[in-house]
């Protein structure tokens, strides 16, 4: 084992671990193993912008990497999706390499507060000011991220973004598990007026799955 290898007994603070379908963005409908990590250093930004987190911070617990790997081996997923909370608070290049060596492709869904380790697909859903993200993130090949998702309420304009991505998505804000018709119609209008952007609805909530 090299200097950058990590022990299978190394731990992560995990809120949820489940096998499901990706419900948003480019990879919608694709079976994936989701590792929802506990905790978030950007939660104050969500509260200020009235965007509420998918993660409750009371349950969950510590898991070894080997335990996560064993759970993954019970399913047929080709992808691991790291989400949260804010997964970049815990993820390291060594952790990503551990699961890469097990044969998994990996995606991360992050807020922009930290640049994630190199992996197969990076989803950025900004929760902090864009100029801060641009300063924090180094150029990742010719893209800053693979997929950029902005949540929008009715009345909010299309993002005036300088962040470079392969795919740009607008996502209407839901009322808990229910789509807000006004927000959905507004986001449809935004995409039709700005065809660089695509509509991404949280379809897993419509499908009534995790």
């Amino acid at each position: 084992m090299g200097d950058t290898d990590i022990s299978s007994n190394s731990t992560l603070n995990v809120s949820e671990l489940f096998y499901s379908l990706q419900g948003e963005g480019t990879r919608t409908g694709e079976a994936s193993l989701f590792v929802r990590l506990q905790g978030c250093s950007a939660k104050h930004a969500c509260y200020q912008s009235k965007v509420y987190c998918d993660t409750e911070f009371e349950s969950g617990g510590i898991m070894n990497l080997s335990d996560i790997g064993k759970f993954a081996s019970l399913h047929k997923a080709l992808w691991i999706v790291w989400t949260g909370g804010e997964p970049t608070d815990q993820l390291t290049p060594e952790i990503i390499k551990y699961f890469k060596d097990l044969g998994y492709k990996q995606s991360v869904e992050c807020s922009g507060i930290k640049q994630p380790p190199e992996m197969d697909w990076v989803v950025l859903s900004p929760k902090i000011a864009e100029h801060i993200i641009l300063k924090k993130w180094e150029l990742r090949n010719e893209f800053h991220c693979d997929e950029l998702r902005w949540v929008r309420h009715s009345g909010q304009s299309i993002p005036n973004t300088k962040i470079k991505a392969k795919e740009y998505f607008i996502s209407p804000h839901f009322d808990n598990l229910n789509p807000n018709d006004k927000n959905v119609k507004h986001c449809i209008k935004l995409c039709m007026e700005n065809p660089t952007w695509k509509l991404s609805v949280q379809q897993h909530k419509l499908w009534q799955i995790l």
Side-chain angles (χ1 to χ4, degrees):
M1 296 177 69
D3 293 338
T4 60
D5 288 329
I6 191 168
S7 168
S8 62
N9 291 321
S10 297
T11 60
L12 288 168
N13 192 354
V14 177
S15 176
E16 290 181 285
L17 182 63
F18 57 95
Y19 181 55
S20 189
L21 300 183
Q22 175 60 262
E24 303 178 72
T26 304
R27 297 181 46 253
T28 295
E30 192 168 5
S32 301
L33 178 75
F34 290 83
V35 186
R36 190 182 299 282
L37 298 179
Q38 189 112 325
C40 181
S41 57
K43 61 184 179 181
H44 64 283
C46 293
Y47 295 148
Q48 290 174 353
S49 60
K50 297 182 179 180
V51 174
Y52 299 102
C53 189
D54 290 330
T55 305
E56 51 83 20
F57 295 100
E58 302 301 325
S59 61
I62 301 300
M63 292 189 69
N64 293 335
L65 300 189
S66 60
D67 292 333
I68 298 172
K70 288 175 184 176
F71 183 89
S73 69
L74 298 175
H75 304 284
K76 296 182 179 180
L78 302 177
W79 283 82
I80 291 175
V81 177
W82 300 100
T83 184
E86 178 47 60
T88 61
D89 286 342
Q90 298 187 58
L91 291 178
T92 65
E94 293 77 24
I95 292 171
I96 299 307
K97 182 180 184 300
Y98 177 86
F99 289 98
K100 181 178 180 180
D101 289 346
L102 292 178
Y104 293 100
K105 293 185 177 181
Q106 296 173 77
S107 170
V108 65
E109 300 179 350
C110 60
S111 69
I113 198 154
K114 299 175 185 175
Q115 186 174 10
E118 185 75 20
M119 60 182 69
D120 298 289
W121 195 257
V122 174
V123 179
L124 173 58
S125 182
K127 302 296 187 298
I128 59 175
E130 183 170 294
H131 71 275
I132 298 176
I133 295 174
L134 291 171
K135 287 182 180 179
K136 286 177 174 285
W137 286 44
E138 297 175 0
L139 194 64
R140 183 174 180 266
N141 298 324
E142 60 180 299
F143 301 99
H144 284 281
C145 64
D146 298 292
E147 185 177 320
L148 180 63
R149 290 188 207 146
W150 281 94
V151 176
R152 278 295 180 260
H153 295 263
S154 175
Q156 290 184 308
S157 61
I158 202 78
N160 181 19
T161 182
K162 295 181 180 178
I163 297 173
K164 295 185 182 298
K166 294 177 182 177
E167 303 283 352
Y168 295 86
F169 287 97
I170 293 293
S171 182
H173 187 268
F174 269 49
D175 296 330
N176 295 318
L177 297 177
N178 302 309
N180 180 300
D181 289 344
K182 192 172 182 181
N183 291 343
V184 172
K185 290 177 181 177
H186 177 68
C187 288
I188 290 172
K189 183 174 183 289
L190 287 178
C191 291
M192 292 181 71
E193 292 175 349
N194 302 272
T196 301
W197 294 82
K198 302 174 184 178
L199 183 68
S200 176
V201 179
Q202 292 179 307
Q203 296 188 57
H204 53 287
K205 293 182 178 179
L206 305 179
W207 301 333
Q208 298 183 13
I209 61 174
L210 289 175

